[in-house]
């Protein structure tokens, strides 16, 4: 029996890549800087305190991968641990540092073209674009039109949105068009319909994702985004390893937002879950049901959305420790030939300036399927993961990447 479990720790970079300076990210290090802040007692909160404790990830080789990436162990970590997994660090071949690029590349399809972006910090969107969206949606106007943090903009414009019924349009350094609306006063289905319209109108602009950002609450300081977020992504430019396994009769189960990121391509079943506990629970439940020739693929988005973008070091550290504490539950369920891969799609250093992603190496931790414990070294593309999965399932090789399975 062959089953692959992919755990995507969204935004968990392990050190700036060689080309990070092109993105303004030279020196970024999501893992290293979190560990440093923890060791200095600067990342304490109600849930955690002191040095960062990730014993199970360390045994899989996380800290060793970080040392290979940056030249030093993160604060509080050392080589005094028995390594049971294969570990490496991967550089991104794709042109961006965004969610679709990272996910598609690790499934064997790097993005070798430039996304469209809305670069202006204010008055970000062309009038002809927003005019057409409003015309099709029969709306009199909109709010926002800027780069913004998704939580800050709710405090700034949430009350006005509720009073006027005008949607909030905003963007970021990523190739995204985001629409925030109140679930009760505007309506969730109406928001989804608006996003579908925006997705069609945005086609000539080569924007990677339209994101529905529903929220609830009665006023400033009380607004909260809900788990009903939905991403409307363009399709990958070629068949991913997920598509190939599905075409071969295998099963690909999306847990969390994976299906959205791949525009449902290559997905055979979707499981919705919100928050780290629910996502981990759902992953375990799907692993219990998984049959031969199947992938269970989970995106743990909270690392990025709740802590990385919000520059919450203590929250990020607590989330990592929670994830680490639950890993033994998953490992105990594995069958002899199962393959587990833990990785990330980009960085989002919570100590870095601004609120955007950071261009970093990502960890490649692999366990099972006959892989010997030890270093996989630098992988020159995330696509090595997709090529490995293709080899594992004996599928047609991907165009990019090199398998790290033993021959």
């Amino acid at each position: 029996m062959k089953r692959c479990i992919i755990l995507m720790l969204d935004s968990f970079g392990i050190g700036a890549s060689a080309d990070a300076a092109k993105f303004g990210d030279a020196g970024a290090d999501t893992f290293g800087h979190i560990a440093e802040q923890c060791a200095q007692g600067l990342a304490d909160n109600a849930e955690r305190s002191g040095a960062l404790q990730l014993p199970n990830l360390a045994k899989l080789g996380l800290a060793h991968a970080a040392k290979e990436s940056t030249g030093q162990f993160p604060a509080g970590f050392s080589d005094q641990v028995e390594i049971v997994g294969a570990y490496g660090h991967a550089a991104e071949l794709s042109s961006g540092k965004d969610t679709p690029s990272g996910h598609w590349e690790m499934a064997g399809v790097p993005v070798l073209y430039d996304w469209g972006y809305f670069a202006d910090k204010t008055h970000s969107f062309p009038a002809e674009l927003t005019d057409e969206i409003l015309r099709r949606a029969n709306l009199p106007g909109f709010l926002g039109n800027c780069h913004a943090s998704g939580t800050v903009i709710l405090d700034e414009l949430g009350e006005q949105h509720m009073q006027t019924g005008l949607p909030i349009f905003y963007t970021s350094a990523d190739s995204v068009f985001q629409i925030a609306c109140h679930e009760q006063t505007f309506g969730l289905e109406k928001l989804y319909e608006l996003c579908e319209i925006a997705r069609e109108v945005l086609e000539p602009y080569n924007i990677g994702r339209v994101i529905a950002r529903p929220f609830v609450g009665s006023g400033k300081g009380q607004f909260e985004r809900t788990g009903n977020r939905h991403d409307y992504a363009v399709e990958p430019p070629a068949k991913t390893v997920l598509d190939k396994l599905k075409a071969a009769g295998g099963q690909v189960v999306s847990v969390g937002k994976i299906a959205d990121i791949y525009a449902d391509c290559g997905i055979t079943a979707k499981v919705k879950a919100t928050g780290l506990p629910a996502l981990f629970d759902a992953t375990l439940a799907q692993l219990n049901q998984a049959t031969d020739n199947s992938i269970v693929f989970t995106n743990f988005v909270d690392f990025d959305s709740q802590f990385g973008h919000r520059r919450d070091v203590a929250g990020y550290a607590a989330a990592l420790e929670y994830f680490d504490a639950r890993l033994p539950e998953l490992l105990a369920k594995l069958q002899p030939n199962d393959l587990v891969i833990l990785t990330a799609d980009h960085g989002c250093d919570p100590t870095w300036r601004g609120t955007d992603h950071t261009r970093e190496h990502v960890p490649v931790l692999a366990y099972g399927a006959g892989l010997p414990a030890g270093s996989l070294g630098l992988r020159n593309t995330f696509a090595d993961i997709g090529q490995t999965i293709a080899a594992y399932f004996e599928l047609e090789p991907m165009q990019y990447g090199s398998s790290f399975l033993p021959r």
Side-chain angles (χ1 to χ4, degrees), residues 88-99:
H89 59 294
E92 187 165 10
L93 186 61
S94 298
S95 60
K97 53 178 180 177
D98 54 275
T99 295

Side-chain angles (χ1 to χ4, degrees), residues 15 22 28 31 43 63 67-68 73 97 103 117 132 141 160 202 206 246 257 261 267 292 296-297 342 349 366 377:
K22 298 177 183 178
F31 180 25
K67 181 180 185 296
E68 289 186 349
F73 280 103
K97 53 178 180 177
H103 279 75
Y117 297 93
E132 181 62 12
Q160 186 179 354
L202 280 160
N206 195 30
K246 179 180 178 180
K257 71 172 190 173
I261 297 168
I267 305 299
D292 191 22
V296 177
F297 193 171
L342 295 91
D349 186 340

Side-chain angles (χ1 to χ4, degrees), residues 256-305:
K257 71 172 190 173
I258 290 297
D260 285 357
I261 297 168
Y262 291 94
D264 287 334
C265 296
I267 305 299
T268 62
K270 294 186 285 186
V271 178
K272 188 175 177 62
T274 301
L276 288 177
L279 285 163
F280 216 106
D281 288 344
T283 303
L284 296 179
Q286 293 307 309
L287 179 55
N288 285 339
Q289 302 171 26
T291 56
D292 191 22
N293 290 320
S294 62
I295 291 175
V296 177
F297 193 171
T298 305
N299 177 289
F300 293 90
V301 67
D302 294 57
F303 293 116
D304 186 52
S305 63

